[in-house]
Every structure is written in structure tokens, then in C-alpha cells.
Amino acid sequence: MTRGDGMQGMQQGREPLYAGSTVAELYRSAFKSFAQREAIVGDGVRLSYQALEAQCHRMVRYFESIGLRRQDGISLLSGNRADAVVAIIAAQLMGLRYTALHPLAAQDDHVFALRDAGIKALIVDVPRFAERGAALAALGVVEHVLTLGPASFGADVNAALPAFDGADIPLRVQPEDISKISYTGGTTGKSKGVIHRQRTTVTMTLQQLACWEWPAQTRFLAATPISHASGAIMLPVLLRGGTLFFMSKFSPEDFLQTVVAERISSTFLVPTQIYGLLDCETLDQYDLSPLQMVLYGAAPIAEARLAQAVQRLGPVFCQIYGQAEAPMTISYLRRHEHDPRRPQLLRSCGRPLPGNQVKLLDANLREVGPGEVGELCVRGPLIMHEYLNRPEETEKAFAGDWLHTGDMARQDADGYLCIVDRAKDMIISGGFNVYSSEVENCLAQHPAVSLSAVIGLPHPKWGEAVTAVVVLKPGCSANAQELIAFVAKRKGVVNAPKTVVFEANLPLTAVSKLDKKAIRAMYAHGNANTTDGTDSTDGTDNTDNMVSSPQHIV
């Protein structure tokens, strides 16, 4: 036996010695470390860490009583409410496979996710989703339909919990267990289930704790759905001994009032929410000095509007970049790097966080040079395990042993990344690549423009015509020729829109990102396919989920 063989033999059978932590262990650490502190505020309740832990233990015992076992699938259709948080944490303590249903998805999409993920129990927020919950219950898609409050269908979890013990439970979660299955937005067909094992969430949480610039007293306001980004920030807040506050629906006025009343020190916002705050007439009337960290991400932000935000709210902004397949912590742009005197940094999503390998690759999987555009690719313990039931999609995403994000980016000599577009959002006009986010950033510099979405529409001459759908600021005016000339002067004629469409509002996704799929659909049948340099105002109304002169954001 060689010395190498001996070393290998000594290591065999020692896998538990090197095993990582689990999400359940992290939650337990937070509960025991800060038992008497306030953990959750929302729905008229204020729970200490100790009370929250006991309620989570009752939920686990209830799950067990109906036959759920470790690694069974559980799903949640809910808004931001305290008992939904209890259900999410209980699922992790028990080692269930958790899937959040998209709050604004169609019923067929919900049915698909429940069946694809093999969900055994569905929890429904009755005040917000009773109709959809009843429809899903009638279809018999899952074995157990549970409700947060009384309903004409399912079993009321809240009514059952007081009968169960809140004492400690044994933690049986294993490091290789699946923590969650997240579904992508489905912008290019059926949604894909992204499988994350314990490793992903633990890695993300440790990177959040180590690299984000948390205030000393962490009072975090969840102003976006906990089914998405805000839910991924709950665990690090609790590990810091912080307090979670919840908004059921975002409006600038309600947000500002909550920040002042509860002395909120940190939050997460998407760009359209930041625009809403900037356009809120009462913004300057509020003392926002408690607010020290505004995380933002999930969609491109216009450089000009970000500069306005820094000027009016101060050096509180921190950009995060990630995606469903590598959540939240691929890169980070620090507070002091939001410097209007260095405008190139305002276009950046920061530098890769420690623990991540990041490269920009061309179509042949070769690394591009500094300043050149390539697809942003990632390696490391942050990335997903695979797509559920999609081996071909998994192989495509992991080509060359890298996770391919689908984001096109540049990286400068100092390591700062700049996302220029989603690969699918890139417009090819007259044989030239046009990056929609760069045109949107340019339009945002015009004093009359509040918000824009730039898309490519079929054109017999150009292949695709650069089309800008624009929302003007209240009380401001501009015409199509003016905006076309504005972009042409700053970005050249290739990037200038061939058509400008003026709308009062634009459709948003459930997490307040511009819904470019819906925007393309609005104009796919010629609504905006006018002659060069003309404007149209006959877009489809979709006010249930739109941003208008963005003082009203759903």
C-alpha cells in the first residue's frame, strides 16, 4: 500500500466529520442566542425569539400529526404575514422541501409547480388567496390543503396550533437534504424547478453575514414578497439578533411612515420601488435618519435615478446580484462605492463575493478580455444542485462546468462587474447588438422620463427595431423625436429607438420588476410597430399589476 492509498483509506467513512451545517441549525442558533429579543412585528403581533421558536415547534408537530415526514414537499401561497414566516421556518426545522408559489402566477402555473415538485401539503393565505386556494383544493392536486385562518376549504392551521407542544424538537435535517425548490419566472416557456440543497442556503447566509454592511441594530422591513428576495434575508437578520417587520403591500407613503414609526434601519427594494420613493411628493417631509442600509437588486436600475437616490437619501444603498440558480450573493456593490463622482461604479453590480468564482465567457467558453462583453458564469457552493426533472436544461446551464447565468456583462481591471443585459433581452438591430439596459439608462437621464422599458420588435429592414415604452414624470412632457434624438446624441444612432411609445403605466411582476414578457406581448401584434420616429398611446391596460407615474406600486 502506498502512502497515498493509506491516506485515502483513512479518510473513507469520515464524511460526517466534514459535513456542513443545515438551515435548521442556523435557525436554532438564532433562537437560542436572542431568546428575549423581539423577532417579528406584523399583523398586529410582536413575537420574541422565544415565542417565535415555540410557535415554529408547534407547527412542526402539527405537520407531523398529518403525516408529513422529512423531505416531503410543502408549498406556500401567501403574502407577507407573521404566521407565514412560522410555516417557512417550521418547514426548514423539519427538513421539508419548501416551494413558494408565485403570488401572481396563473392557476395552471400553480398546478404545474405543485405537481412537478411533488408537493404533499399546500398552505394558503386565506385573506389574499382564498379563491385560488379553493380552486386548487377542488382539483385535488395535493394531499393536504392547509389554511392560515378559517376557510370553506382545507384545515385551519392557526386554529390547530394551540393544542401542540412548543418545546424543543430534535433536528433530523441532513446536510445533503433539499432545502427548497424555487421556480423560475417561466419567461421562456414552462418554469424550471431550481433544486437547492442545504449547502446553497447556508453558503448564501454566511456570505450575507460576512460581506453585507449591516447596521448595528438590524430592524429590517420586508417591503417585497417573502416568497422572493425578502424571504432570503430573514435568516441573516435573525442570526444578527435583528427584528423583522412586514408590509403586506408596498406604497411609498406607507413605507416612509413605517420607517419613521418603527425606526427601520435596513430594507430591500427593487428599482421601481426606489423610483416610487423619489417621485413621492412627501419624501422630504420624513426623517429617514434611522435608515442605514437599503439593499436593492432583482432588476437593472437606471444610473441617473440611482444618483438621484443617493443624493436625496444619502449613502445608504448597497447593490446585490444573484439569480434563482445562485441566489442573492454572487456580487455586491458597497455603500461607499455608490459615489456620483465615479459614475462608472453606479453602472456596476459590484465585485464577486469571497467563495465565488466568476468569469465572463464567450460562446466557445473562452474567457473574454477586460471591458469585453461575455456571459457571466459562476462556480462555488452557492450554485444550485440541478433543475428538477430537466437533465438537458441542467447540462446546458452547467456547460463547461460553470453555471451560465444568462446575463451579459463586462468586467473592468479592478474587478467590478457591469451587467449590460439579459442574453434574451439583447436586441439585434441591423446586425448590431443593442443592450436594452444601456438604452434605458440613457433615457433615465432625460428630465421628463420616470421609467422606460426597451424591447426589440420584428422589423422587415432591421430584423429587430429598438422600441422604447416610456412613462413620463407627473407634469412633464416630451415627444418621440425628442427622446430619439436624446439617445442618438449620447449612444449613437444604432442604439436610438426607432419607435417611442408613451404609456401611463407599465406591467410589473410579483416582485415589482418590469415584466418585459408582458410588455412584448402588448406590442407583438403591431400596437407599437409604427413608422420610424412616431409615437403610440394605444397600449393594453393591465392596471392590476402596473407602475404608473410610480407613486402607486403594487
Side-chain angles (χ1 to χ4, degrees), residues 48-378:
S48 69
Y49 278 71
Q50 190 174 60
L52 175 60
E53 180 183 31
Q55 196 73 343
C56 292
H57 291 161
R58 293 186 185 97
M59 187 75 79
V60 169
R61 289 187 169 96
Y62 174 78
F63 289 158
E64 291 174 339
S65 76
I66 64 172
L68 295 183
R69 298 293 180 262
R70 174 178 145 250
Q71 289 297 273
D72 281 343
I74 191 168
S75 192
L76 184 70
L77 178 59
S78 177
N80 289 2
R81 48 186 295 176
D83 47 9
V85 174
V86 170
I88 292 170
I89 297 175
Q92 295 300 326
L93 293 176
M94 189 174 169
L96 300 176
R97 295 182 291 107
Y98 168 65
T99 295
L101 291 185
H102 195 302
L104 292 178
Q107 180 174 306
D108 286 348
D109 293 329
H110 284 163
V111 171
F112 169 79
L114 293 171
R115 287 178 173 159
D116 190 55
I119 299 300
K120 193 170 181 179
L122 168 65
I123 303 176
V124 179
D125 174 355
V126 174
R128 291 195 65 180
F129 300 105
E131 183 177 352
R132 177 59 55 80
L136 294 173
L139 290 172
V141 184
V142 298
E143 183 177 344
H144 303 282
V145 177
L146 313 175
T147 63
L148 299 176
S152 60
F153 62 93
D156 185 352
V157 177
N158 291 345
L161 286 191
F164 291 88
D165 187 1
D168 281 0
I169 59 170
L171 299 183
R172 299 187 175 92
V173 186
Q174 299 299 309
E176 287 304 308
D177 283 351
I178 294 171
S179 170
K180 65 187 297 186
I181 301 175
S182 301
Y183 278 81
T184 61
T187 55
T188 56
K190 278 292 184 185
S191 297
K192 297 188 288 288
V194 180
I195 295 179
H196 288 302
R197 298 193 182 276
Q198 302 288 319
R199 158 184 55 80
T200 300
T201 305
V202 170
T203 299
M204 176 186 70
T205 302
L206 295 179
Q207 289 178 326
Q208 290 168 323
L209 290 170
C211 301
W212 291 2
E213 298 161 283
W214 297 94
Q217 291 188 333
T218 306
R219 299 172 66 83
F220 179 83
L221 177 59
T224 61
I226 58 173
S227 58
H228 290 73
S230 284
I233 302 175
M234 294 193 307
L235 180 52
V237 169
L238 294 176
L239 283 166
R240 288 185 53 81
T243 306
L244 295 164
F245 298 79
F246 299 101
M247 293 185 69
S248 60
K249 185 177 181 179
F250 178 85
S251 76
E253 200 75 39
D254 288 345
F255 176 87
L256 294 168
Q257 290 174 2
T258 304
V259 168
V260 172
E262 297 289 358
R263 298 194 61 79
I264 298 299
S265 65
S266 56
T267 191
F268 171 84
L269 300 173
V270 296
T272 52
Q273 292 173 322
I274 295 174
Y275 303 161
L277 291 174
L278 293 175
D279 293 336
C280 181
E281 294 179 356
T282 60
L283 173 62
D284 295 331
Q285 298 175 16
Y286 290 91
D287 176 11
L288 301 181
S289 57
L291 193 59
Q292 300 173 49
M293 181 176 81
V294 177
L295 300 161
Y296 69 95
I301 189 167
E303 174 191 339
R305 304 232 75 187
L306 179 57
Q308 293 172 15
V310 173
Q311 181 183 19
R312 296 188 66 183
L313 275 74
V316 299
F317 291 93
C318 312
Q319 184 173 166
I320 60 177
Y321 167 67
Q323 60 173 202
E325 293 84 349
M328 303 293 284
T329 56
I330 293 176
S331 67
Y332 178 70
L333 187 69
R334 302 178 70 85
R335 278 201 300 256
H336 77 274
E337 294 167 331
H338 287 74
D339 185 352
R341 296 170 299 181
R342 296 190 290 171
Q344 73 279 8
L345 292 186
L346 296 183
R347 295 189 289 269
S348 172
C349 63
R351 288 185 276 204
L353 290 185
N356 303 326
Q357 298 180 56
V358 173
K359 284 189 178 182
L360 306 185
L361 305 180
D362 65 17
N364 296 313
L365 303 181
R366 295 177 301 206
E367 188 172 10
V368 303
E372 296 180 4
V373 174
E375 184 180 11
L376 197 153
C377 298
V378 188

Side-chain angles (χ1 to χ4, degrees), residues 44 110 300 315 343 501 543:
H110 284 163
V501 184
T543 54

Side-chain angles (χ1 to χ4, degrees), residues 446-485:
H446 192 283
V449 173
S450 173
L451 183 69
S452 70
V454 174
I455 59 175
L457 292 177
H459 192 280
K461 179 178 180 182
W462 305 110
E464 287 185 296
V466 180
T467 303
V469 188
V470 174
V471 175
L472 297 177
K473 294 178 181 177
C476 294
S477 63
N479 61 45
Q481 291 291 354
E482 177 184 349
L483 296 184
I484 291 170

